[in-house]
Amino acid sequence: TGKIAEVGVGDSILGRIVNPLAAPIDGKGDIAASETKLIEAMAPGIIERKSVCEPMQTGITAVDTMIPIGRGQRELIIGDRQTGKTSIA
């Protein structure tokens, strides 16, 4: 079609069951979307993002004292198998 893939958005889509292209599959008829948005969009730049300002406690005293982590912050956890990386995350 020469167009970039986009889906309908709006209040009418809330509570509906749709497929990955936002086509209704719940048998309640078509969705009258008020506007459309691109499926893939550029992520906001670092400056535009909300800053990490709320602390998050992991519950592991050693981690909390050595590495201050903020809620929403991405942190790389490296370790061998069976070291409990998933338990921390």
Side-chain angles (χ1 to χ4, degrees), residues 4-89:
I4 299 174
E6 56 187 12
V7 295
V9 295
D11 290 336
S12 61
I13 202 165
L14 291 175
R16 299 291 303 269
I17 301 171
V18 296
N19 67 11
L21 295 177
I25 57 173
D26 56 5
K28 294 182 180 178
D30 291 337
I31 298 173
S34 56
E35 62 180 287
T36 61
K37 296 255 181 174
L38 297 175
I39 289 177
E40 294 184 15
M42 294 289 291
I46 294 172
I47 302 300
E48 300 167 17
R49 295 180 190 172
K50 182 181 173 186
S51 64
V52 177
C53 58
E54 182 181 342
M56 184 189 81
Q57 300 296 320
T58 63
I60 302 170
T61 307
V63 173
D64 291 340
T65 55
M66 290 188 297
I67 309 161
I69 301 173
R71 184 173 300 280
Q73 177 180 341
R74 293 180 179 155
E75 194 69 36
L76 177 64
I77 303 172
I78 300 174
D80 292 331
R81 286 182 275 150
Q82 302 294 320
T83 56
K85 299 181 297 293
T86 306
S87 299
I88 294 173

